Amino acid sequence: MPQDRLHLCTDVQFASPYAMSVFVTLREKRLPFDLSTIDLASKANLASDYAALSMTQRVPTLIHEDFALSESSAITEYLDETFPDTPVYPQDRRLRARARQVQAWLRSDLLPIREERSTEVIFYGSRGGPLSSRAQEAAQKLFAAADALLPADSPNLFGEWCIADMDLALMLNRLVLNGDPVPHKLKDYATQQWQRASVQQWVQLERPAL
């Protein structure tokens, strides 16, 4: 590939919500990039060539010129600073900090939802059983935060769309697309966010059978 071309490494199932976040960022910014997949099931991420690129040995990893970076929110922030046209974070300093807070929270909390409603619900149409009490508590925590963040008269969290909207919509859609009860306002928000062109480009990628 050309030395200055961006290259994104993602999972072979295209089911990683974090790889999706970077993919959507690249699409929103209209940045050309190459895409390759890593088979996590066969532990290809532990192979020496990939480990040399990704110090965390995870996906996604972005390669730009001679620089490789892993961890999705670090990548999206790097892309926003390196290619400032068409920003994917709010321009206001406090709103940008809030968007980063939302991203960090979704990646570090709500584990029962992620365990009981994997992204196979979203990308493969899998269905889970009833939520455990732990997952129900996590869902209520998610609903309370999302409701407080989302203005009543806006389809987005902070006025203009930002990448945190996609991350939040994905977490909500783990429940929405499983048929779990979700407040009407938040269900509409997640459904509308899912129709964004950059999001649908990821959703419609061809996936291997599980």
Side-chain angles (χ1 to χ4, degrees), residues 69-85:
L69 185 65
S70 301
E71 304 306 312
S72 59
S73 59
I75 296 171
T76 54
E77 290 176 26
Y78 170 78
L79 288 170
D80 222 36
E81 293 172 0
T82 305
F83 305 98
D85 292 345

Side-chain angles (χ1 to χ4, degrees), residues 1-43:
M1 65 181 177
Q3 186 179 7
D4 61 348
R5 189 175 177 90
L6 294 159
H7 189 109
L8 175 63
C9 302
T10 182
D11 60 308
V12 73
Q13 278 85 23
F14 300 118
S16 165
Y18 313 119
M20 180 181 181
S21 189
V22 176
F23 178 97
V24 168
T25 294
L26 289 164
R27 289 300 194 202
E28 288 287 336
K29 288 180 165 294
R30 299 179 177 84
L31 295 171
F33 66 98
D34 297 304
L35 183 67
S36 61
T37 59
I38 306 298
D39 188 351
L40 302 180
S42 66
K43 299 185 178 181

Side-chain angles (χ1 to χ4, degrees), residues 24 30 43 80 84 88 113 117 125 149 158 198 200 205 207-208:
V24 168
R30 299 179 177 84
K43 299 185 178 181
D80 222 36
V88 296
I113 297 176
R117 297 292 183 263
L149 284 165
F158 309 112
S198 58
Q200 280 298 304
L205 290 172
R207 292 173 170 79

